[in-house]
Amino acid sequence: VRAAKKLRVALAYIAAVVARGDMAVLSAFFVLWLTQEGIAAGMDTGEATRNAIKFYIFIQVFALIWLPVLGYILDRIDRVAGLALAMILAGGGYSTLFLLDDPLSSKMWFCAVLIGMGEISANLASLTLIGSEAPVKGRGAVLGLFSLCGAIGILLIAKGGGTLSIDYGPIAPFGLVAFMNLAVLILALIVLRISRNDPAKVGSF
């Protein structure tokens, strides 16, 4: 907790909540949403589920393809700038789902590419940030709290996403994570701005 006096560490803790939330919303709600859409379109349950899983697998495969490219980028820019880039990709990816008139159409492949890029970007960028900012003394405790924040993110998405899904439809949880990614993007830009004026407050241990 004391380490969070450094804004970069505090930002990493917050990013962990959102990054794990990005993963959780896909695991808990993506296949469910597309399965419901498929059933509504006249598919039987098995066919609708297979179709939904097909898109989910593609998201994960493209995330792995994007991973080495992302690693190359993050190694060459400021870690907070990398986090900001990740939040743009993640928030943008989830936001595209709201532009689909038919989530079962071929346009979903394009959305899946963006979501895969965004999901892995948010997770790797937050990990690289805390990895570079955690102090040598107490590193284990700092990384442990980072992991705890991630677990909190999963719980928040499970609860909040479920409530929103009931009240506003199965696509609503993706609006929640898009908003959360936007919020972290704004925080990252603020930290970058402060670092120009007060490096001691923001800087590394």
Side-chain angles (χ1 to χ4, degrees):
V1 173
R2 286 195 302 270
K5 292 179 181 179
K6 296 290 187 180
L7 290 184
R8 286 176 178 255
V9 176
L11 178 63
Y13 288 161
I14 297 171
V17 175
V18 177
R20 293 301 187 274
D22 286 352
M23 296 181 67
V25 77
L26 286 175
S27 301
F29 299 105
F30 185 78
V31 172
L32 175 62
W33 170 46
L34 290 188
T35 299
Q36 292 175 338
E37 291 289 335
I39 293 173
M43 300 180 185
D44 61 49
T45 302
E47 182 184 4
T49 302
R50 286 193 297 272
N51 187 66
I53 291 175
K54 173 182 66 178
F55 286 113
Y56 179 81
I57 291 174
F58 183 77
I59 288 173
Q60 304 307 324
V61 169
F62 196 85
L64 293 176
I65 294 173
W66 171 245
L67 187 59
V69 179
L70 176 65
Y72 179 86
I73 294 172
L74 292 178
D75 276 344
R76 285 158 178 78
I77 62 176
D78 182 274
R79 293 291 191 260
V80 176
L83 181 65
L85 173 62
M87 293 300 113
I88 291 173
L89 292 173
Y94 290 114
S95 296
T96 60
L97 295 176
F98 292 86
L99 303 178
L100 293 174
D101 50 0
D102 179 10
L104 302 178
S105 69
S106 59
K107 295 178 182 178
M108 177 56 82
W109 294 111
F110 175 72
C111 293
V113 167
L114 295 180
I115 292 171
M117 292 172 62
E119 175 202 11
I120 199 67
S121 295
N123 279 276
L124 186 59
S126 61
L127 283 170
T128 56
L129 178 58
I130 195 63
S132 64
E133 299 302 325
V136 175
K137 183 178 180 180
R139 178 178 292 269
V142 170
L143 295 178
L145 184 54
F146 175 84
S147 297
L148 177 61
C149 289
I152 292 171
I154 294 172
L155 293 174
L156 288 176
I157 289 300
K159 175 61 177 178
T163 301
L164 289 174
S165 182
I166 293 172
D167 293 340
Y168 300 103
I171 196 175
F174 304 101
L176 174 61
V177 292
F179 173 79
M180 291 169 63
N181 281 281
L182 175 60
V184 175
L185 168 61
I186 293 172
L187 291 175
L189 294 176
I190 291 173
V191 170
L192 284 174
R193 183 176 180 86
I194 293 174
S195 65
R196 297 176 182 175
N197 303 320
D198 190 359
K201 185 175 181 180
V202 181
S204 303
F205 283 91

